Amino acid sequence: MEDRPPPPFAAFRSDDVVAAVEAALSPIAAQAARCTACVLAETRTNVVFGSGSARSGIVFIGEAPGANEDAQGLPFVGRSGQLLDRLLAETGIARSDVYICNVVKCRPPGNRDPRPEEAVTCAPFLRAQLETLKPRVLCALGLHATRWLLPGKEPMAKLRGRVLEYRAIPTIATYHPAAILRSPGLKANALADLKRARALADDIAAHESGGGRH
């Protein structure tokens, strides 16, 4: 029996709402572009604020920009981003309908892990993004992003596969695409996690539609 492609994703925010969110994000992005609050500002090429749309209500959060992201000023545009695009396509979601950002907005030198103080310094920008986007579903890509949202010590193997919660927002934790590139056996679990995120968004859309909300 052949695998059937997933049905099209029914994005559920109107053009007016999407435009208003984008307008509200603009001054936050401008402030981030001028930020020199930590040492990462000394070595960055571009601030990588985030990209995409509020249309689906799904927000993906990664750890930090890499070299390609730093060069282009956009999140997830290197090999990890290409893999994320393929996973989204297999889930039936267009990248243009989701919003993607990182905990840290500037590339750590040599793609090292962000230091705790760098994440703390950058946190107001991510919080402002989330308050503006008002996501229906969050998807944390990798352990660093997951632990920023949900502090703790559990490994990813125990965090994924269930619906978590950040400030009453349903949250899915999954492997970072870079981890999947290193260990391709993780792909099936990551794809299942993205499908769970889509199912949550579909359920919320159906509930709000039935309740007469827009």
Side-chain angles (χ1 to χ4, degrees), residues 38-45 104-109 112 114 118:
C38 80
V39 296
L40 297 183
E42 299 172 7
T43 55
R44 73 181 181 222
T45 302
V104 172
K105 310 304 183 189
C106 298
R107 180 197 179 198
R112 64 165 171 76
E118 293 162 353

Side-chain angles (χ1 to χ4, degrees), residues 48 51 65-85 95 100 102:
V48 183
S51 70
N68 289 290
E69 291 74 20
D70 178 58
Q72 297 185 43
L74 295 169
F76 285 88
V77 292
R79 290 181 64 217
S80 291
Q82 293 165 11
L83 175 56
L84 179 59
D85 288 351
R95 177 175 174 136
I100 304 175
N102 287 297

